[in-house]
Amino acid sequence: MTQFSGKKANIYAVIKEEDTTTLFDHFIIDNKVLFLSELKDIISRLQTIGKRTGAQEYFFKLKEGKPGDGVCALYDNPNSNLRLYCIRYGNDLIVVGGGGHKPKSIRALQEDAKLKAENELLKWLSQEITKRTTDGTIIFSEDGFEGELIIEDYEA
């Protein structure tokens, strides 16, 4: 995502096979009416991450996936309603997925079908990226990901 990536971090988006719009763009579309100010804060935070600070831990709610998979949630502040699920690779790279509104009435993302589905997709993607970095079809470089970035066969 060139509008967010910069000298401090590369930011990638996910597009499902049957779609032409990124999960992040769907996130924006789905939440722009009810949560516009939070969206603006998240967009600003992505620009800050890419261009000024890198993907510092304090921007994220960590451990939103399985241990070690890097799945986390980006939000503008801890009391916000929106969760944008990402895969964080240190301070240098994040893969932005989708997310949504997490009502204060629920404690865990698993209690909301949409949040659970968005999170499950990123956990699966994280596993696939790990497999591909192990076999060398995807490489991390100072410029971001290199190699075969099309990953297919996700089944919800």
Side-chain angles (χ1 to χ4, degrees), residues 28-61:
I28 297 289
I29 292 164
D30 293 347
N31 294 291
K32 69 182 178 184
V33 172
L34 294 176
F35 303 106
L36 184 60
S37 67
E38 288 184 26
L39 280 176
K40 287 179 180 179
D41 289 341
I42 287 172
I43 289 167
S44 175
R45 185 144 297 181
L46 287 171
Q47 291 170 332
T48 298
I49 287 169
K51 299 180 186 319
R52 292 199 316 250
T53 65
Q56 301 294 318
E57 240 180 56
Y58 56 83
F59 288 127
F60 301 91
K61 181 176 184 223

Side-chain angles (χ1 to χ4, degrees), residues 38-90:
E38 288 184 26
L39 280 176
K40 287 179 180 179
D41 289 341
I42 287 172
I43 289 167
S44 175
R45 185 144 297 181
L46 287 171
Q47 291 170 332
T48 298
I49 287 169
K51 299 180 186 319
R52 292 199 316 250
T53 65
Q56 301 294 318
E57 240 180 56
Y58 56 83
F59 288 127
F60 301 91
K61 181 176 184 223
L62 304 175
K63 300 176 185 172
E64 289 288 293
K66 296 175 182 173
D69 67 5
V71 176
C72 53
L74 174 69
Y75 49 83
D76 62 330
N77 68 61
N79 296 319
S80 71
N81 292 301
L82 290 182
R83 297 292 184 269
L84 176 62
Y85 293 107
C86 309
I87 307 169
R88 178 177 171 263
Y89 295 96

Side-chain angles (χ1 to χ4, degrees), residues 104-118:
K104 299 296 180 194
S105 60
I106 67 171
R107 290 181 44 143
L109 70 92
Q110 292 82 357
E111 296 175 46
D112 182 278
K114 178 165 177 29
L115 293 178
K116 182 178 179 186
E118 297 286 357

Side-chain angles (χ1 to χ4, degrees), residues 68-70 87 89 123-138 140 145 151:
D69 67 5
I87 307 169
Y89 295 96
K123 288 191 289 191
W124 174 84
L125 183 59
S126 176
Q127 289 177 331
E128 291 299 311
I129 291 171
T130 298
K131 285 181 200 173
R132 285 167 167 74
T133 56
T134 301
D135 72 16
T137 56
I138 293 177
F140 289 109
F145 283 130
I151 301 174

